[in-house]
Amino acid sequence: MKYKHLLFLIASYILAFSVNLMPSIMHPDLKVDGFNLLVTLLFMFLLLLYSRRGSKKLKVFAVLGVISGILVFFITTFEHAMFDNIILDSIASLQYPFYLIFITPVFGGNILFDLSYGSYSLLMSLFYGIIFGLTIYFKKKDEIAV
């Protein structure tokens, strides 16, 4: 039962990803509703709970989440200038895997903000930064207690 929390976290990630996939791809054409928000909040809550374990894997996941949010924001900001150059256009295509892996599961929260996907990605990088900070805090707290 050591991995029970991790299994719940993975299951909530898969649920949030599958529910939020179409709204995150079709935004703003496809509306986000309360169910999307509910599964997003469940995933975020379980991430916050799992951060208490101080897991190295969660630290890596959170750092990649921060980087992906910032990367998606900057690429969408300068996307109009990147279309003319083939090298910059190929760099712009790097944002899509990061967006799908890290932003899509938490996209249901966009019902509260109604931002563009680039701006929402930047906001979610702040959330992943909080997860990273909490993971480090609880890891150090556990090391001091031992």
Side-chain angles (χ1 to χ4, degrees), residues 23-59:
S24 70
I25 291 173
M26 301 294 290
H27 183 74
D29 296 335
L30 193 61
K31 297 295 180 197
V32 181
D33 60 8
F35 185 66
N36 298 87
L37 178 63
L38 182 67
V39 296
T40 296
L41 290 176
L42 174 69
F43 174 62
M44 293 171 96
F45 177 72
L46 289 175
L47 264 178
L48 287 169
L49 282 179
Y50 195 70
S51 69
R52 293 185 57 127
R53 294 183 168 265
S55 169
K56 290 180 183 180
K57 294 174 187 173
L58 186 60
K59 281 196 309 191

Side-chain angles (χ1 to χ4, degrees), residues 55-109:
S55 169
K56 290 180 183 180
K57 294 174 187 173
L58 186 60
K59 281 196 309 191
V60 171
F61 182 77
V63 167
L64 290 174
V66 169
I67 292 170
S68 71
I70 293 170
L71 179 74
V72 169
F73 173 73
F74 279 117
I75 288 176
T76 56
T77 302
F78 300 111
E79 198 169 37
H80 63 280
M82 294 183 178
F83 287 134
D84 295 335
N85 190 332
I86 195 161
I87 295 171
L88 294 177
D89 191 33
S90 63
I91 291 172
S93 66
L94 291 175
Q95 75 174 329
Y96 300 114
F98 287 112
Y99 179 76
L100 283 174
I101 294 169
F102 295 101
I103 308 304
T104 295
V106 292
F107 194 78

